[in-house]
Amino acid sequence: MSVRIGMLILAFAGVTATPALAQSCGSAPIAPALASAADIKQKSPADAAAAKHDAFVEIKNWQTDLKTYRECVTNVSNENNKQAGGLDPKKDADKIKQLQSQAKAATHQYDQTVDMEERVVNEFHAIQAAFCARSDVDRSSCPK
């Protein structure tokens, strides 16, 4: 009997959580692990070139995932703001506050991804600078 009650509670919780889950974008994509500038300096020319290229490809793939994630959190923020705007401030003050809080949280998540992207791009530029400072590599891919 208690198993059935537990299953009913879980089923009810799943039904009531569905609207929140529909707006959930999950976690932000995890930034790629890149070789350090010091690693690039110590690798053979071929390994350094491969590490730089791999870092570039991983970052581009990650940025594609970031774009999808950012579109989701932007949609959540916009939808919550739209819903809050359509409510009566006198009757639905708590609901408006909740929607605005969720919109603010989504905007914060977006901003965190921008900060992370900036750090990752700066790491890549450090890798690129370390690679391009070497005299034993093909520097045709280096900025001029």
Side-chain angles (χ1 to χ4, degrees), residues 67-129:
K67 181 179 179 187
T68 302
Y69 177 78
R70 286 176 179 161
E71 287 171 355
C72 179
V73 294
T74 298
N75 289 339
V76 167
S77 181
N78 291 344
E79 183 61 31
N80 285 343
N81 285 329
K82 180 179 173 184
Q83 286 180 15
L87 296 174
D88 183 347
K90 293 179 183 176
K91 295 179 184 176
D92 302 313
D94 289 340
K95 181 69 173 170
I96 291 171
K97 186 176 179 180
Q98 178 187 15
L99 288 167
Q100 289 173 338
S101 175
Q102 291 171 353
K104 185 177 179 180
T107 300
H108 180 70
Q109 289 173 327
Y110 184 100
D111 292 343
Q112 285 181 319
T113 66
V114 172
D115 294 342
M116 177 57 72
E117 184 177 24
E118 184 177 351
R119 284 191 295 274
V120 169
V121 169
N122 287 338
E123 287 177 26
F124 178 76
H125 285 295
I127 290 169
Q128 185 179 40

Side-chain angles (χ1 to χ4, degrees), residues 38-49:
D39 292 338
I40 295 296
K41 290 177 184 177
Q42 294 175 357
K43 292 181 180 286
S44 70
D47 289 344

